[in-house]
Amino acid sequence: KIDGHGASAAHATLTNALYLAAKTATRWYAPRLLDRHGRVPVLRVAGGVALVGLVLVVFGGSLPIALAGAVLWGIGAALGFPVGMSAAADDPRHAAARVAVVSSIGYAAFLVGPPLIGLLGDHVGVLRSLTVAAGLLAVGLLVSGALRPPDSGNASTTIADDTPGS
């Protein structure tokens, strides 16, 4: 994440630690936000935060900005997979197949993402190759409405993200 900023290995390690700490802290505290506001609005904000953080890492131009970007990226990226997995399990009749698809997408990204970034990094630099992740974040933001809970038909069980405009 720090490559391209001319920073030391110690700074790279610190940046990664801050990214992971931000991601972990977000996963600890996000359930309250999800319960209060619903998954779609929370994921839209989180996706926007991740996108801003990633842009700061790639185009920020200085180490302090890249460090702040890494923290924002970690905060924003923390919920995508776990909330996507939860949404996949919403419908008991199709939960197994949907969870399998979501986990397969996650594992494919985990296995294909780093080599793809490395391959692109050989041609355009590691920082610029991360714009692929920014594009995927933008797609995630566009399709985030698909994570709405199914309509239960009971108004007392609907949550905040079932309201129009969310």
Side-chain angles (χ1 to χ4, degrees):
K1 293 181 181 98
I2 209 69
D3 190 34
H5 291 288
S8 69
H11 283 113
T13 302
L14 172 64
T15 302
N16 192 46
L18 290 172
Y19 169 84
L20 293 172
K23 204 170 186 179
T24 301
T26 301
R27 286 185 178 173
W28 282 341
Y29 296 106
R32 287 187 212 132
L33 291 173
L34 291 164
D35 290 343
R36 181 176 211 170
H37 301 289
R39 66 170 75 124
V40 172
V42 169
L43 282 180
R44 285 181 177 161
V45 169
V49 169
L51 195 54
V52 167
L54 182 52
V55 167
L56 289 174
V57 168
V58 174
F59 299 108
S62 72
L63 184 58
I65 291 173
L67 288 169
V71 169
L72 292 174
W73 187 7
I75 290 168
L79 300 178
F81 184 75
V83 173
M85 188 69 76
S86 176
D90 276 347
D91 181 358
R93 292 173 293 141
H94 303 289
R98 290 178 180 175
V99 167
V101 168
V102 170
S103 62
S104 295
I105 291 168
Y107 283 118
F110 177 75
L111 293 172
V112 174
L116 175 62
I117 296 298
L119 179 67
L120 289 172
D122 284 342
H123 298 286
V124 299
V126 173
L127 283 177
R128 300 301 182 257
S129 69
L130 291 173
T131 58
V132 170
L136 293 171
L137 274 167
V139 170
L141 281 167
L142 291 173
V143 301
S144 61
L147 296 175
R148 277 191 181 80
D151 185 18
S152 66
N154 182 351
S156 65
T157 62
T158 58
I159 61 173
D161 61 37
D162 283 338
T163 59
S166 43

